[in-house]
Amino acid sequence: MNLKHHGWIVALAFLALAPVVNSQQPVKIKQDKDAFEFYIGNDLVTRYHTAGFAKPIFWPVNAPGGVPLTRNYPPPEGQAKDHPHQKSAWFCHGDVIPEGIDIKSKIKGVAGVDFWSEAKGHGQIQCKSVAEIVGDTKIMTENEWRTAEGQKIMDEARTIRLYDLGKARLIVVNIDLHASVCPITFGDTKEGSFGIRINDVINAGKTGKGKIQNAEGKIGEKDCWGQISAWCDYSGPIDGKEVGLAIFADPKNAYPSVWHVRGYGLMAANPFGRYKHAQFPAMKGNDKLVRLDKGQHLQLRYGMLLHSGDAVSGEVAQAYQRFVELRGKE
């Protein structure tokens, strides 16, 4: 899909240099075909793809020094090819229920529309427009969440910013979900929502050398999966360099994030999963689903910290505080 072919005007070239955090490196955004490239200095930090996939994705996602933190796609020879829908980094949910709309393509176990998997009948998140913000390090996009047949069930405004923290890079994503078409219920499933698939060489399973750690200092899938935490981190050695990626959940989000994090390489912050179906231990006794009346908005804010070292040496906890502080300046 080419934005220009649909008559949308996208006039985003290199943005003016913007204020940075703890660094003199310029932060720039460059328009590419159906994507936007985020740079610090001459280093590509990430490329945000607005078309060509079932939903917008960040790919690649690079640590300082250009080390690739997330799964390449298609996976290189010798690396895991499971879960083909887990493409680098994304935001969506696996069961979005539009009240009053007949869903023709049903997926087993999903009450509404599945935006997580790419099974037959899955939904798609389509970027409809991108607005330029001159003099800042951000882009604003308008997305439509659609059924497999192309019927819109929800609108979304998404703003993406890049910060240079000196020793690390921070990508902040502000999400505004708008039940513009009908009431929306977010189903109880573990398959959500702000997620990444880590570089296969540092998965925390049988084949990788990675480590999972959350804000409470718990380590490994067993102690982190299904728990509420402010952040979760995946780290390990890639090409001789210790690097990591942390996902931050803003404490002012209306719903806390429960972590769907697996040793095979998945890490996702899920504000919608509960206990009955998702089986999140932290949500035991809470089966109340998130629901939006028609016209209602839900705002969520997440971050991706791309750092050297592990969660401790990479000072992830300190960077999380900067993430919180930056909210008031955005």
Side-chain angles (χ1 to χ4, degrees):
M1 179 176 68
N2 188 317
L3 297 180
K4 294 180 180 178
H5 289 172
H6 291 77
W8 303 312
I9 301 174
V10 181
L12 189 59
F14 277 102
L15 297 185
L17 301 189
V20 294
V21 184
N22 290 345
S23 175
Q24 298 303 311
Q25 289 260 50
V27 180
K28 305 184 289 282
I29 302 174
K30 180 183 178 182
Q31 180 187 356
D32 196 0
K33 177 177 168 53
D34 294 334
F36 293 87
E37 296 179 338
F38 289 73
Y39 289 87
I40 291 179
N42 294 320
D43 294 339
L44 175 66
V45 177
T46 191
R47 183 177 292 112
Y48 182 68
H49 298 263
T50 55
F53 299 94
K55 49 187 170 283
I57 66 170
F58 296 90
W59 171 58
V61 178
N62 296 325
V67 181
L69 284 166
T70 57
R71 176 192 218 180
N72 206 348
Y73 195 83
E77 191 64 32
Q79 294 192 12
K81 295 178 172 58
D82 60 277
H83 300 86
H85 53 280
Q86 294 177 7
K87 294 179 173 69
S88 189
W90 63 90
F91 174 79
C92 67
H93 191 61
D95 194 354
V96 180
I97 305 165
E99 295 183 19
I101 292 180
D102 181 32
I103 301 170
K104 297 180 174 59
S105 299
K106 297 292 292 183
I107 295 178
K108 185 178 179 180
V110 179
V113 183
D114 182 0
F115 291 93
W116 178 267
S117 77
E118 294 180 12
K120 184 178 180 181
H122 69 83
Q124 295 197 25
I125 302 175
Q126 297 181 355
C127 180
K128 304 302 290 186
S129 66
V130 182
E132 176 185 4
I133 306 298
V134 178
D136 203 354
T137 57
K138 66 183 178 183
I139 60 171
M140 296 176 64
T141 70
E142 299 289 338
N143 299 328
E144 293 183 355
W145 294 47
R146 294 181 169 271
T147 68
E149 291 73 35
Q151 182 174 4
K152 183 173 76 169
I153 64 170
M154 183 169 64
D155 281 300
E156 176 201 357
R158 188 178 300 186
T159 302
I160 302 163
R161 296 170 172 85
L162 173 63
Y163 296 97
D164 185 355
L165 301 188
K167 294 181 179 180
R169 285 85 186 268
L170 176 63
I171 300 166
V172 176
V173 184
N174 282 270
I175 296 156
D176 185 332
L177 301 172
H178 180 205
S180 56
V181 178
C182 61
I184 292 288
T185 297
F186 296 90
D188 176 10
T189 174
K190 67 182 186 300
E191 311 295 9
S193 295
F194 192 96
I196 65 102
R197 178 66 183 263
I198 205 70
N199 188 321
D200 196 45
V201 302
I202 60 167
N203 72 64
K206 296 179 180 179
T207 63
K209 298 180 179 180
K211 178 173 66 174
I212 299 165
Q213 183 170 337
N214 69 12
E216 286 67 44
K218 295 179 180 178
I219 294 175
E221 174 184 329
K222 182 179 179 180
D223 289 334
C224 294
W225 188 87
Q227 300 301 322
I228 294 172
S229 191
W231 53 263
C232 200
D233 183 75
Y234 229 119
S235 66
I238 301 176
D239 297 331
K241 298 179 180 179
E242 188 81 12
V243 291
L245 191 161
I247 297 178
F248 293 159
D250 194 294
K252 286 198 173 181
N253 286 349
Y255 304 94
S257 288
V258 182
W259 292 90
H260 181 28
V261 56
R262 297 298 197 189
Y264 70 76
L266 171 68
M267 179 170 66
N270 186 336
F272 305 123
R274 297 294 180 256
Y275 184 75
K276 185 175 181 180
H277 296 292
Q279 290 288 292
F280 289 149
M283 300 305 286
K284 194 168 185 176
N286 179 6
D287 286 329
K288 185 177 181 181
L289 302 182
V290 176
R291 183 183 182 275
L292 303 179
D293 291 329
K294 183 178 179 181
Q296 191 175 0
H297 291 254
L298 173 63
Q299 296 182 345
L300 299 167
R301 181 174 180 263
Y302 295 99
M304 286 192 291
L305 183 75
L306 323 175
H307 63 88
S308 300
D310 63 8
V312 177
S313 63
E315 300 180 346
V316 172
Q318 294 90 324
Y320 180 78
Q321 292 307 311
R322 295 304 305 272
F323 164 74
V324 173
E325 293 165 2
L326 285 166
R327 184 200 312 114
K329 302 176 183 178
E330 294 173 353

